[in-house]
Amino acid sequence: MVKRIIIFYLLSFIISFTGMAQKKDVQKLEKEGYAKLRKNDYSGARDLFFQAIKISPDKAELYYDVACSYALEGKIKKTLEWIKKSFEHDFNNYTHILYKDPDMQKIRKFPEFKKTISSLLDNKIEEYLKYIEQNPANTEYYFEIARIYAVQREKEKALKYLKTAYEKGYNDFFNIFYDPDFEELRGTKQFEKIIDDAFQKNYGWKGTVEQKIWGLMNVWAEAKFNFAFFDQVPELNWDKKVKEYIPEVINSKNMQEYYLLLQELVSNLRDGHTGISFPRELYKNLDIPPVEIEFIENRFIIVRTGENEEIKKQNVYPGLEILSIDNTPVSYTHLTLPTN
């Protein structure tokens, strides 16, 4: 049994090492191929891309690279032939190929280019619709259909499938704001409402104990593994401090009190670039006076004010020192100034 285990791990290591070596070989061939494209050596570039395809036949981008070499020569039929091959291997950088890739500039003027890409995208939609019939719970299929309609500038259909994706549980709220395929939709009221409603459904304030603890644990983990200056607060036991806040966050009466507690907790890190931001719905309850404050010689000094009636009425002007906040004296004892 021991020998079998050793052989198994040895084979796994060999396979992993071989895969890494092949990946490096493909990257090297691609890089050399791109260099030849820039020198207008299209045939030489293709030879390198063909070699890369032999090593990694499932990589869609390699087929697209070949298509680019033909496109730069203005060879429309060959270009479309290899674009089709790239789609067969799941190429999905739709906006790049249709609108942005300069390598395709020469052939975009041909009617058959747009017709072919449109047909390929329609086929993709049909493919995803079949997947949905087989597995309606897979929300990515709805999202992918939305992407294609967005690229085709079919706004209503794109929004319909995007809304369906999020209603059925799709929960990627990061890439949606960077995906170039949704560039035309971002900023529209319908798009923002779909994303905002879905985010509120998934992460909106419910005030449950589970949600409060989950938020606290996220704060703990972010600082624990990403905060780089624990050496500047040697007296702080972060794990112990977070533990102390568990009963407090559980007993918080509302969202504002909860977030204030998280801010208070994070202030123990004593880092001006690390903090907790209020969610958008809390800002409407905040009164933020138009004043700018600087810490000068162990004092909080107002250095700039805005121009409004309340500032004038309260007689607030640059040069004043802040001595207390809500009748609580300002304390400087916890502040540590740099020594160099």
Side-chain angles (χ1 to χ4, degrees):
M1 178 63 73
V2 174
K3 288 183 178 179
R4 287 181 183 177
I5 293 173
I6 292 172
I7 291 171
F8 171 78
Y9 280 112
L10 183 60
L11 287 173
S12 298
F13 175 77
I14 292 170
I15 291 169
S16 176
F17 182 78
T18 302
M20 290 174 61
Q22 287 179 339
K23 184 177 180 181
K24 286 184 179 180
D25 288 341
V26 169
Q27 290 174 341
K28 183 172 182 291
L29 288 166
E30 279 187 288
K31 185 177 179 180
E32 292 175 355
Y34 298 151
K36 286 186 179 291
L37 282 183
R38 302 288 82 86
K39 294 179 180 178
N40 302 329
D41 182 2
Y42 308 121
S43 177
R46 277 194 293 273
D47 288 341
L48 293 167
F49 295 144
F50 291 150
Q51 291 179 48
I53 288 172
K54 286 181 180 179
I55 299 172
S56 185
D58 294 325
K59 189 173 181 181
E61 289 78 10
L62 295 174
Y63 298 88
Y64 183 73
D65 291 337
V66 176
C68 288
S69 72
Y70 283 118
L72 288 166
E73 289 185 290
K75 296 180 178 180
I76 180 67
K77 289 183 179 180
K78 279 291 187 180
T79 300
L80 296 178
E81 176 188 334
W82 283 87
I83 285 176
K84 288 177 183 177
K85 289 180 186 290
S86 73
F87 269 72
E88 288 169 4
H89 290 83
D90 292 327
F91 183 82
N92 64 359
N93 201 343
Y94 308 131
T95 295
H96 186 63
I97 188 173
L98 267 173
Y99 308 110
K100 295 191 174 182
D101 189 351
D103 291 347
M104 292 290 163
Q105 189 172 348
K106 282 185 180 179
I107 63 162
R108 283 200 188 100
K109 62 185 178 184
F110 292 101
E112 53 263 52
F113 173 79
K114 188 174 181 179
K115 183 179 178 181
T116 298
I117 303 301
S118 180
S119 176
L120 289 169
L121 292 175
D122 288 342
N123 290 341
K124 279 279 187 185
I125 290 175
E126 290 298 321
E127 183 181 326
Y128 288 129
L129 287 172
K130 288 179 182 178
Y131 290 154
I132 287 172
E133 287 181 10
Q134 299 166 6
N135 188 4
N138 192 321
T139 57
E140 288 193 22
Y141 298 145
Y142 299 94
F143 184 79
E144 288 302 319
I145 293 174
R147 284 183 67 221
I148 294 172
Y149 279 132
V151 168
Q152 292 178 318
R153 305 297 194 250
E154 295 193 48
K155 176 182 172 182
E156 295 305 319
K157 290 182 179 179
L159 290 170
K160 171 189 170 184
Y161 277 94
L162 187 64
K163 183 178 180 181
T164 302
Y166 280 107
E167 285 178 345
K168 287 185 175 292
Y170 188 77
N171 61 2
D172 186 338
F173 293 97
F174 181 78
N175 291 321
I176 185 73
F177 289 101
Y178 296 94
D179 192 327
D181 295 337
F182 289 101
E183 189 173 334
E184 292 291 315
L185 288 180
R186 276 195 291 273
T188 64
K189 289 183 179 179
Q190 301 99 313
F191 177 88
E192 289 184 353
K193 186 175 187 321
I194 288 170
I195 304 304
D196 192 53
D197 288 350
F199 189 86
Q200 289 300 321
K201 180 182 176 182
N202 282 271
Y203 302 106
W205 177 256
K206 300 177 180 67
T208 62
V209 171
E210 290 81 1
Q211 188 180 47
K212 292 175 180 178
I213 293 297
W214 176 246
L216 178 64
M217 290 303 98
N218 272 281
V219 172
W220 168 80
E222 282 295 325
K224 180 78 172 179
F225 301 107
N226 294 315
F227 186 65
F229 304 107
F230 276 114
D231 60 318
Q232 301 296 319
V233 281
E235 74 285 0
L236 175 64
N237 184 327
W238 180 241
D239 293 348
K240 182 181 178 182
K241 181 59 69 175
V242 171
K243 211 170 178 180
E244 291 172 3
Y245 272 77
I246 291 176
E248 294 195 53
V249 299
I250 289 175
N251 294 323
S252 57
K253 298 181 181 65
N254 51 47
M255 190 199 306
Q256 182 167 325
E257 185 175 311
Y258 174 75
Y259 272 88
L260 285 171
L261 282 168
L262 294 183
Q263 288 184 336
E264 181 183 291
L265 168 63
V266 171
S267 70
N268 286 279
L269 296 172
R270 298 187 187 177
D271 179 65
H273 298 284
T274 304
I276 299 290
S277 297
F278 275 168
R280 185 168 47 187
E281 56 264 42
L282 283 181
Y283 276 106
K284 62 185 179 184
N285 299 322
L286 298 178
D287 183 15
I288 305 176
V291 297
E292 185 177 333
I293 302 164
E294 287 188 11
F295 188 63
I296 302 173
E297 295 182 353
N298 285 358
R299 290 177 171 80
F300 289 105
I301 305 297
I302 295 175
V303 295
R304 195 171 292 107
T305 64
E307 292 290 333
N308 63 28
E309 290 302 316
E310 186 176 1
I311 288 291
K312 292 177 182 177
K313 183 178 178 181
Q314 297 293 332
N315 197 26
V316 177
Y317 53 87
L320 290 180
E321 179 186 355
I322 297 177
L323 299 176
S324 64
I325 298 174
D326 293 336
N327 297 320
T328 300
V330 175
S331 171
Y332 311 105
T333 56
H334 67 285
L335 295 171
T336 302
L337 293 177
T339 57
N340 54 9

